[in-house]
Structure formats: structure tokens, C-alpha cells
Amino acid sequence: MTAERLRLSAEAVRLGAAAADKADAIDQCGRLLLELGAVEEGYLPAMHEREHTIATYIGEGVAIPHGTNEARSLVRRTALAVVQFPDGVDWDGSDVRVAIGIAASGEEHIGVLSALATTLSVPEQAALLRTTTSVDAVIQLLTPAPENDPAEPRNEASR
Amino acid sequence: MSNTINGSDVRKVVIACDAGMGSSALLKTQLAQSLKPYGVTVEHTAVNAIPIDADVVVTQAGLAGRARKSAPDTPVVTFQMFLGDPAFTKLEAAIRDGADIDG
């Protein structure tokens, strides 16, 4: 049995949002995870708690708010929630345009996060993620290459 | 306080972050790809759950204290930036060239 690989669905992407501040932006990510049925209510405070410990800004205008290790029990299923803030959110002095809420119980999301890392290493693609008005474009930017998907069945013969 | 390992002795690198589901997961694939040619595996965990067979721990600077407490006998390499931090290229070079890794 292979682990299920996470793919972003259109419902997990919100473009053109606005947030008053970082806490509001984290709440929006958390509520979207809640709407997706990925977490229990109690996961949202854990996201703020985690953020307070050490900020989740990763660069290129992107932050990845998520819960604490202890809050894993409040995760029903692994999911990501992408919320874009075209006007920016002050994230402890960094300007965040995209916040990606993470709820993970396993490893299913590693592929999408590796696609995120790849996207952010190419300035034009990072800019597209921050500014696009196309949900499909976001999904495309966060779709892992097959070889970066750890749950992909290994096929050594195909190399 | 500080631990050292030679890069040629490294078999397993563990990326540790606070919850083990965000930043460490983000970094895992890229580091695994860059270290694969040297026979090094990469795992990611929460900082409080670093496996004892880790040869090197990689973590963001703000978590270094907790990582050292969690893995007192293992070198802890720290980074400031998730994207393009020189610590990653330095680690890869040390493993490739068999140089000492301190931390």
C-alpha cells in the first residue's frame, strides 16, 4: 500500500484575500483548513502558538503557518490551504503575499512543499505565485515533479 | 559543547523544526537530492524527536538550543534563511570533500 499523495484542490486556494495583520492572515489559513475538513477547531490556537515560538516566514513573500507537534492529534487529514494577499501582510517586518497553512499528520504534503521550494528558487515563478489571479496557475506552481514525490512507487528500472 | 564529524562519515542528515511538518518538510526534498550522490539519507523530524542515529542535525538558528539539548552528541548545523542559505552549500561541500563539520 502506498501513502496517499496530497494534491492541491481548487477549494484549497484563495486568491485576492486581504488581512488586517499577521494574526488575521493565520486565522484565514486556519479557517480554510477547517472548511476543508482537515483540522479540529483547536488547531487554530496551536497555529498562533507555533508562530509565536518561531515565525514561519520562509522568504520570497511566503509564510507557512502551521500547528505545533502536540497539535497533530487535531489534524483529521493532511492538507494545505493557500491564501494569497496581493496587498501584503506585515509578518514581523517581512512582506507576506502568500500564506500557506499546513495541517499534517503524515508525509503526504512533502511533494507539494518541495514544489513550493523549487518555485521560490526561480524569481519569475515566485512572482507569479504572489500575483497570479489564476487558481490553476497556483496549482500548477505547487505540483511536484514526479521524482520529488516521495510516495511515488520507486521504479529503479526506469532511470 | 561543540561536536565534530568528518563529512565522509555522514550517512544520515536530519532536518529538525519545531513541529516537523512545515519548514523541515519544505527543505527535505532539496537537501535529499543534493546529498544523494554521496550516499547520505535525509529525514525530517520535530526538534524534540531527533533520532539517535542522526550524524548531523540541520535546523534554523532560533531552534539551535533545543536541537543541541535534544541531540547533545550530534553536530548541529544552523541556517538563517530557508532559501539559498550558505549553510546548505557548505554542508554539501563538507560531505563531498570529506571536511570536518562542527556544530
Side-chain angles (χ1 to χ4, degrees), chain A residues 96-159:
Chain A
V96 163
R97 301 295 168 114
V98 178
I100 302 179
I102 301 173
S105 54
E107 304 282 291
E108 304 93 326
H109 64 309
I110 301 265
V112 175
L113 286 185
S114 76
L116 173 66
T118 305
T119 289
L120 298 185
S121 66
V122 182
E124 297 76 23
Q125 290 191 6
L128 184 60
L129 183 67
R130 293 190 296 265
T131 58
T132 186
T133 55
S134 159
V135 169
D136 285 343
V138 170
I139 291 173
Q140 189 66 39
L141 287 167
L142 299 180
T143 297
E147 67 271 21
N148 287 348
D149 232 353
E152 189 82 15
R154 294 230 167 79
N155 187 351
E156 301 289 335
S158 70
R159 293 202 201 153

Side-chain angles (χ1 to χ4, degrees), chain A residues 43 50 53-54 57-60 64 66-69 72 102 104 107 109-110 113-114 116-118 120 148 159, chain B residues 17-23 25-30 33 36 44 46 48-49 60-63 66 81-83:
Chain A
Y43 192 74
R50 168 64 184 80
T53 308
I54 188 162
Y57 181 71
I58 58 169
E60 287 291 341
I64 51 167
H66 54 273
T68 57
N69 198 28
R72 277 175 187 267
I102 301 173
E107 304 282 291
H109 64 309
I110 301 265
L113 286 185
S114 76
L116 173 66
T118 305
L120 298 185
N148 287 348
R159 293 202 201 153
Chain B
C17 73
D18 191 56
M21 71 169 86
S23 48
L26 177 84
L27 294 168
K28 190 203 162 187
T29 304
Q30 288 192 325
Q33 277 177 345
K36 197 178 171 189
H44 74 105
N48 297 332
Q60 57 196 118
L63 293 175
R66 285 169 61 191
M81 297 177 294
F82 285 96
L83 304 167

Side-chain angles (χ1 to χ4, degrees), chain B residues 16 45-52 57 64-74:
Chain B
T45 66
V47 70
N48 297 332
I50 297 169
I52 51 166
V57 176
R66 285 169 61 191
R68 291 199 170 95
K69 199 177 261 181
S70 172
D73 302 320
T74 309

